[in-house]
Amino acid sequence: MAFPSWLDPFDAEPFVFFSKSHLWAMACIAIGLLLTYLFRNELRATSDRTRRNIRIYLALFMFGCEIVLQAWYIYGGVWSLRTSLPLELCSISLLLSGIVLLTRSRLLHSALLFAGIAGALMAIVTPNLGYAYPHFRFIQFFTAHACIILALLYMTWVEQLRPTWRSVVASMVFVNVAAFVVYIMDVILDANYMFLRHKPDTASVLDLLGPYPVYILGEEILSMVMFSLMYGLFFAIPERVKNRMKRGRGTTF
């Protein structure tokens, strides 16, 4: 079977870290997130029906990202139980973030917020990817990971599902429960989903965390630090500053 070059799973230009296309992809994602933040009040002021439609369309698009990926695996003859199931952390986060959009579940949002954003961000910066732009896999990879971050921040900024310190704990619990279930699947399938049995073949942050299985403990520590910093820098500290400014304006002399 002859494949178009942008769909070919075997003969494609390899991905290059921090190449022009990689930098452009990261820049486009950053701009999209910045625009969502800047227009959060306008989005919040729209009708309930409009916001509901936005959530539904985004969720369906996210589910579609996984569906077309699975279709590509099958079309290219590369689908495998050992590599193609949606058992990576970001694949799980993608599907569950879509469910958050549809259900507005505070519990699921709390569990996913930091784990989903941190995992997708790490994947965007250091992708485990073998295809360069304009290959389908390149576009699907960065689109899906961007959607994880966008969905969770949309629910935070627009739908106002605000995190607390409990969200840090919830994200840690989510990561560890997911890892436990996926590790069982890895053993059964002789697979390496979530890189729980060895490091990826491409460069990643795991290279800085020591050999197997030490890097798994390193991931636990790194996750706790990242989740705590994210909550402190982007939620706790700004909220405290905002409250002090309000109290200051309300003081009369």
Side-chain angles (χ1 to χ4, degrees):
M1 180 186 298
F3 297 96
S5 60
W6 59 279
L7 282 176
D8 197 322
F10 303 108
D11 185 18
E13 184 179 347
F15 176 83
V16 178
F17 283 97
F18 303 115
S19 60
K20 185 180 295 185
S21 58
H22 186 196
L23 294 175
W24 269 110
M26 291 192 290
C28 289
I29 292 170
I31 291 170
L33 295 174
L34 178 61
L35 289 174
T36 304
Y37 178 77
L38 293 176
F39 288 97
R40 67 194 185 282
N41 292 327
E42 287 78 3
L43 289 167
R44 196 181 300 156
T46 59
S47 66
D48 291 343
R49 180 177 181 180
T50 298
R51 293 199 310 275
R52 182 174 65 251
N53 287 338
I54 291 173
R55 297 197 311 270
I56 291 172
Y57 293 144
L58 180 55
L60 292 177
F61 182 79
M62 293 169 71
F63 297 148
C65 284
E66 183 61 33
I67 291 170
V68 296
L69 176 60
Q70 296 295 323
W72 176 73
Y73 285 147
I74 296 170
Y75 171 74
V78 295
W79 193 92
S80 168
L81 284 172
R82 296 179 61 192
T83 58
S84 306
L85 296 177
L87 292 178
E88 301 291 357
L89 179 60
C90 287
S91 297
I92 297 169
S93 297
L94 177 73
L95 299 176
L96 291 181
S97 295
I99 294 175
V100 171
L101 289 168
L102 296 177
T103 64
R104 299 187 79 253
S105 169
R106 291 183 178 275
L107 178 61
L108 193 53
H109 173 266
S110 182
L112 284 171
L113 181 60
F114 300 117
I117 291 177
L121 185 61
M122 295 296 290
I124 288 168
V125 175
T126 59
N128 180 34
L129 182 64
Y131 303 90
Y133 180 84
H135 196 277
F136 157 80
R137 186 68 177 102
F138 178 99
I139 297 171
Q140 187 276 339
F141 181 93
F142 284 101
T143 300
H145 286 84
C147 282
I148 296 170
I149 302 175
L150 176 61
L152 293 172
L153 289 181
Y154 177 88
M155 295 304 297
T156 305
W157 292 336
V158 179
E159 299 294 334
Q160 296 184 288
L161 301 184
R162 306 297 294 180
T164 66
W165 278 112
R166 292 181 180 178
S167 302
V168 176
V169 177
S171 284
M172 287 299 299
V173 171
F174 164 71
V175 168
N176 281 276
V177 169
F180 176 75
V181 174
V182 170
Y183 182 76
I184 293 174
M185 295 300 298
D186 280 344
V187 173
I188 294 172
L189 300 173
D190 190 25
N192 189 39
Y193 292 109
M194 289 182 65
F195 309 120
L196 294 173
R197 301 181 74 194
H198 59 78
K199 296 180 184 180
D201 297 330
T202 56
S204 73
V205 69
L206 300 184
D207 295 331
L208 305 175
L209 302 180
Y212 178 86
V214 174
Y215 72 82
I216 295 178
L217 176 60
E219 283 185 290
E220 290 279 340
I221 298 172
L222 180 62
S223 295
M224 177 60 77
V225 171
M226 287 185 65
F227 298 170
S228 299
L229 285 175
M230 289 169 67
Y231 175 72
L233 293 175
F234 297 111
F235 297 102
I237 294 176
E239 190 68 24
R240 179 169 295 184
V241 171
K242 181 179 177 180
N243 290 337
R244 286 185 176 180
M245 291 177 64
K246 285 183 178 179
R247 288 197 297 268
R249 286 197 295 268
T251 302
T252 58
F253 295 94

